[in-house]
Amino acid sequence: MKRRKILLVAAGLMGFASPGTFASDIRVIGNPSIKADTISATELKSVFLEEKLSLADGTHVEPVVEKGGAVHKAFLLEYLGKTDDDLRTYYSTLVFSGRGSMPKRLGSDAEVVAYIAKTRGAIGYISSETTAEGVKTLAIIHSGNSAERKLMTRVEPAYPETLKRLGIGGVVRLLVTISPKGNVENVALLGGNPILGESAISAVKQWVYSTSHSRTVAEVSIAFDSPR
Amino acid sequence: MHRPTLGLAFLCVFLRTDQLALQAQEFKLFDRTVQVHGFASQGFIYTDDNNWLTMNTSQGSGAFTDFGLNLTSRVTDRLLVGAQGYDRNLGQIGQYHPSLDWAVADYRFRDWFGVRGGKVKTRLGLYNDTQDLDFLRPFALLPQSVYPTDIRDATIAHVGGDIYGTLSLKQGLGDLSYTVYAGHRSDSIYSGYPYLLTQFGTHFTSFGGLQYGGDLRWNTPAKGLLIGASRLDQDTTGKGTSVSPFNPTAGIIPYSESSKADWTNQFYSQYARGKLHIDSECRRYVRDQLIFGGTSENLDDVRGWYVAGAYRIIKRLELGSYYSRYSITTLDFGALAGIPPNQTDTGLPANHVYDKVITGRVDLNKFWNVKVEGHFMNGYGSSTYPDGFYPQVNPEGFKPNTNALVLKTGVYF
C-alpha cells in the first residue's frame, strides 16, 4: 500500500514536471506576404483583437488562433492578457454585434503552419519546437527595454578614450534580440556614432534579461555623455 | 404551431445538436467564406409578489425566450458584411415578431478610421449593443437600472451609419476607441412603452425618430482596466390613437407625441483580470416629451447605476453579484398637469427599484450554459414609465418588495 502511494506521488511529480505542463517557447509566424520581420507586442495584441487589420508597413494581416493547448494558453496570457474563455467572449461580442468575424481556429501547430503558409496575411503562433516550412518567423519587439523583459544583469559600455577626449558623444540606438532564457542573441546598430555603437554592442551582448515564453526584440538606447 | 412553442422547438434543436454540428459554421459563397453563428435562450421567472416584466411571474412564467442567427463574410481585406435576425418573447413584449437585428457593411480605411452603414447596433455603455447576448455574461438579466430589457428597442440600433476607429496612444498610454453615429430608430409596437400606454387606451401604430451620439472608451495602461463615456440624443415621434384623458366619453382620438428633449449620458468602467470581472456604470436619461399633439408635456428624469462583480470559481462555475439602483422623477405640464400627480420623491417605492442580485452560471460545455439568479428588489418604479413593473399585470396594485428567482439556459455557436 505504502509503495503504491510512493509510486503515485512520484507519478504526480513527473506529471507536474513534464515539458507539456509548462508553456514552452512561443514562435509567432506569418505568411511570407508579410513584409515585416518584427512585430511589436502592442501591435500583436491589436491584430489578435481585430483592432488592427494591417501592420505598420501596410501589410494586411489575419489572425489565426489555436483551439487549445499549452502554447495557446501561454500566448493568450502573455500577449493578450486573456484566458481562452475571455477570448471566445471577446470574439463573440464582435461577431454577434456586427463588428467583426470569428478568426480561423485550428487544432494543432501543424494545421496552423499549413494554413498560414497558404493564406496571404495570416499570422499565428506555434511552439518554437515545431518545424515550420513555408512561413516566416516574426520577432516580437517589446516597447521599452525593461517594461516586459526585466534587465537582470547590465554591463556598462566603455567610452572610447579618443572620442571622450575629443568630446564626441551622443545616443546609440540598438536592436537587441533576447532569447527565451534571457541572454542576448544578437545586437544590431540602428543609429548613432559607429565607434560608440561598437562599444555599446560589446557591452549589451553581456546583458542578461528575465526569462520569457518567446524570443523577443527590444530597442535599447544608450547615451554617451560627452564630458564637454 | 402555437407561437410560444416555436422558441422552445428552436431551443430543443440546439440542445440536441452535438458539439460537432455546433462547430460546423461556415460555407463558401462566390469564393468567399460565410460564417454562420446563432444563439438561443429560454428563461423562467418566479416572483413572490408583484408580476414582473409583463409576465405573470407570481405564478411562474416561462414566456422568456429569444434567439438569433447571423451570417457574416469578409468580402475583402477591409470590407465586412453581415446581418442578424432576432426574435423574442418576453411576456407581452416581442410576441415572436421577428426583426432584422442588424445588417451592416463595414469598411475600415485605416485602423483609426472606419465606416459602417445599414442597420447598426448602437454603442452606448458597456453592453447596450450586446444586451441580448446573455451567454457572454454570468448574469441572466443585466442590471435593469441601466439596461431595461422591456425597452431595449429604444436604444438597440439605428438605421444609418457609424464612424469608428482605434488610436494607439504614445508612451504606452493604452488606446482610445471612438464611435460616432447618426440614424433612425424604429421601435416595435410590441415593445414596453407601447404596451405601458395601452393602460391609458393609447395604441401606437408607429414610434421612432432620429438618434445620434458617440462613445469614447479608453483601454488604460493598467492591465484589464477600461473606462468610457457615451452620449445619445434622440428626436422621436409616436403616432396612433388614444382615449382622451380630458374627455373620456369623446371616444377614440388621434394621438401623437414628440420629443422636446431626449438625451442619455452614460459613464462606465470595467476591470477584467483573469477570473475576476468587475463592471460599474451610471446612466442618466432625460426625456421631455410633448404629448397629445403638444397640448401637454411629460418630463421624466431617470437615473440608474450599478456595480457588478463575477468570479469564475472553477472551470465550469462562475458566481456573480450586482447591486442596481434605479430612480425616476416625473413632472407633467400643460393640459395634463395634475391629472397624473407629479412624482419627485425618489425615496418612495413608486419612484425607484433597488435590486440586489446573486447569480451562478454553470457551463455545461463551451456552447451551453445554465444560470440561476436571485433578485431581491425594493420598489416598483413609476406606473407612467416602463421600468419592469406594469399596472396591466398587477391590477390589484403593487407591493413594495419583490423577490424573483430567474432560471435561464442558453446555447450559442
Side-chain angles (χ1 to χ4, degrees):
Chain A
M1 185 69 184
K2 196 176 173 185
R3 194 177 162 191
R4 197 176 159 197
K5 270 188 186 169
I6 291 168
L7 283 172
L8 282 171
V9 170
L13 286 173
M14 282 171 73
F16 181 72
S18 70
T21 309
F22 299 102
S24 52
D25 299 348
I26 299 163
R27 180 153 43 137
V28 172
I29 57 170
N31 181 268
S33 64
I34 296 173
K35 294 176 210 157
D37 296 316
T38 60
I39 184 169
S40 74
T42 312
E43 203 170 25
L44 189 65
K45 182 178 179 181
S46 297
V47 167
F48 276 85
L49 296 184
E50 297 189 14
E51 291 165 354
K52 274 183 179 290
L53 296 178
S54 54
L55 298 182
D57 63 9
T59 313
H60 161 75
V61 281
E62 174 201 327
V64 178
V65 297
E66 293 203 356
K67 284 179 181 168
V71 171
H72 171 67
K73 271 187 187 174
F75 178 82
L76 297 192
L77 276 181
E78 176 129 357
Y79 295 108
L80 307 189
K82 292 184 184 295
T83 63
D84 183 56
D85 285 338
D86 290 339
L87 191 69
R88 281 196 307 118
T89 299
Y90 178 82
Y91 286 139
S92 295
T93 302
L94 299 180
V95 166
F96 285 96
S97 60
R99 297 183 196 283
S101 57
M102 197 66 82
K104 194 80 180 169
R105 286 181 84 102
L106 297 167
S108 67
D109 279 3
E111 285 180 26
V112 170
V113 172
Y115 182 80
I116 288 177
K118 68 176 185 190
T119 310
R120 189 177 65 84
I123 181 169
Y125 48 86
I126 53 171
S127 162
S128 62
E129 290 163 11
T130 303
T131 310
E133 287 178 5
V135 298
K136 70 189 290 185
T137 298
L138 298 171
I140 303 163
I141 300 177
H142 287 275
S143 56
N145 50 21
S146 61
E148 293 170 62
R149 294 296 296 270
K150 196 175 175 189
L151 185 59
M152 311 298 284
T153 305
R154 180 183 173 106
V155 175
E156 292 304 328
Y159 201 144
E161 269 308 316
T162 320
L163 298 189
K164 196 174 184 179
R165 216 172 36 244
L166 294 170
I168 298 170
V171 176
V172 169
R173 285 172 48 242
L174 306 172
L175 192 65
V176 182
T177 306
I178 309 157
S179 77
K181 287 181 180 170
N183 54 307
V184 172
E185 286 185 340
N186 189 44
V187 187
L189 183 65
L190 292 176
N193 184 294
I195 301 172
L196 294 175
E198 209 169 292
S199 172
I201 287 170
S202 64
V204 169
K205 278 185 174 172
Q206 300 171 66
W207 289 10
V208 179
Y209 286 84
S210 57
T211 57
S212 172
H213 293 305
S214 60
R215 176 178 289 104
T216 54
V217 178
E219 194 177 314
V220 172
S221 296
I222 294 176
F224 289 83
D225 294 324
S226 157
R228 287 186 184 177
Chain B
M1 189 183 281
H2 190 246
R3 273 197 155 163
T5 58
L6 273 174
L8 288 171
F10 192 81
L11 189 60
C12 287
V13 169
F14 267 123
L15 298 183
R16 288 184 61 84
T17 310
D18 67 17
Q19 198 160 308
L20 284 173
L22 284 170
Q23 287 176 348
Q25 50 189 281
E26 57 183 49
F27 61 90
K28 289 273 184 185
L29 185 67
F30 302 118
D31 206 30
R32 294 283 178 275
T33 301
V34 180
Q35 295 184 352
V36 185
H37 296 279
F39 64 95
S41 76
Q42 174 62 52
F44 172 86
I45 303 183
Y46 173 78
T47 53
D48 59 352
D49 277 322
N50 300 315
N51 284 315
W52 192 30
L53 295 172
T54 75
M55 291 177 269
N56 288 318
T57 51
S58 58
Q59 306 291 316
S61 175
F64 186 13
T65 310
D66 73 346
F67 46 91
L69 188 75
N70 69 56
L71 302 176
T72 307
S73 180
R74 196 164 280 288
V75 178
T76 69
D77 293 349
R78 300 191 176 279
L79 176 64
L80 179 81
V81 296
Q84 177 165 288
Y86 178 72
D87 202 356
R88 77 164 175 167
N89 183 51
L90 179 73
Q92 304 298 318
I93 294 167
Q95 297 186 25
Y96 291 109
H97 287 86
S99 63
L100 182 65
D101 198 27
W102 52 262
V104 296
D106 181 331
Y107 194 87
R108 205 184 297 184
F109 292 91
R110 296 280 186 274
D111 294 318
W112 53 267
F113 180 74
V115 292
R116 60 173 72 94
K119 186 169 186 183
V120 188
K121 283 284 183 95
T122 301
R123 191 154 247 206
L124 177 66
L126 286 171
Y127 299 119
N128 182 62
D129 52 348
T130 58
Q131 61 181 281
D132 306 316
L133 313 173
D134 88 302
F135 56 86
L136 299 177
R137 292 177 287 276
F139 303 105
L141 281 167
L142 279 170
Q144 297 296 292
S145 59
V146 175
Y147 298 106
T149 189
D150 45 342
I151 50 170
R152 95 184 248 290
D153 285 17
T155 55
I156 196 71
H158 53 275
V159 176
D162 288 16
I163 296 172
Y164 70 95
T166 300
L167 302 143
S168 293
L169 302 175
K170 289 187 175 171
Q171 298 176 325
L173 289 174
D175 52 60
L176 274 180
S177 295
Y178 72 90
T179 307
V180 291
Y181 56 87
H184 185 273
R185 152 195 165 188
S186 183
D187 292 26
S188 161
I189 57 166
Y190 302 100
S191 183
Y193 184 56
Y195 175 68
L196 180 85
L197 263 55
T198 60
Q199 67 173 310
F200 305 118
T202 302
H203 297 272
F204 282 108
T205 52
S206 68
F207 196 98
L210 180 65
Q211 187 177 73
Y212 57 95
D215 174 84
L216 187 65
R217 53 190 67 195
W218 178 32
N219 270 305
T220 69
K223 274 191 176 174
L225 180 64
L226 170 91
I227 57 177
S230 305
R231 166 82 182 189
L232 167 66
D233 282 89
Q234 304 188 86
D235 185 359
T236 59
T237 301
K239 289 184 176 169
T241 58
S242 183
V243 173
S244 169
F246 317 114
N247 182 10
T249 57
I252 303 296
I253 59 169
Y255 176 81
S256 69
E257 64 172 70
S258 57
S259 302
K260 185 176 178 186
D262 191 315
W263 56 263
T264 304
N265 282 341
Q266 194 158 329
F267 302 94
Y268 53 91
S269 67
Q270 181 179 60
Y271 180 72
R273 195 82 194 267
K275 298 169 181 173
L276 177 69
H277 289 246
I278 298 172
D279 297 335
S280 66
E281 291 193 80
C282 64
R283 175 189 281 188
R284 185 177 179 199
Y285 174 46
V286 171
R287 180 175 184 270
D288 192 352
Q289 199 81 342
L290 299 170
I291 55 178
F292 287 100
T295 58
S296 299
E297 184 177 340
N298 171 253
L299 174 62
D300 295 314
D301 188 347
V302 181
R303 298 175 193 224
W305 62 265
Y306 74 88
V307 178
Y311 189 81
R312 188 164 284 278
I313 304 286
I314 53 174
K315 186 172 171 55
R316 294 190 185 279
L317 175 65
E318 189 172 18
L319 299 180
S321 178
Y322 65 74
Y323 179 63
S324 162
R325 203 172 164 98
Y326 164 93
S327 65
I328 180 169
T329 60
T330 302
L331 300 172
D332 284 290
F333 308 99
L336 206 56
I339 294 179
N342 288 338
Q343 300 287 344
T344 55
D345 184 357
T346 58
L348 296 174
N351 296 321
H352 71 238
V353 181
Y354 305 151
D355 191 7
K356 295 172 195 153
V357 176
I358 51 169
T359 197
R361 166 180 171 149
V362 178
D363 289 284
L364 301 173
N365 58 39
K366 283 190 174 183
F367 309 100
W368 182 15
N369 66 70
V370 175
K371 297 174 184 177
V372 181
E373 192 163 285
H375 288 251
F376 306 94
M377 290 176 275
N378 172 255
Y380 45 85
S382 166
S383 59
T384 57
Y385 185 85
D387 40 25
F389 294 94
Y390 289 75
Q392 293 100 314
V393 288
N394 291 282
E396 293 172 7
F398 294 106
K399 291 176 182 165
N401 296 313
T402 308
N403 297 320
L405 171 69
V406 182
L407 305 174
K408 202 172 186 189
T409 185
V411 290
Y412 79 104
F413 66 94

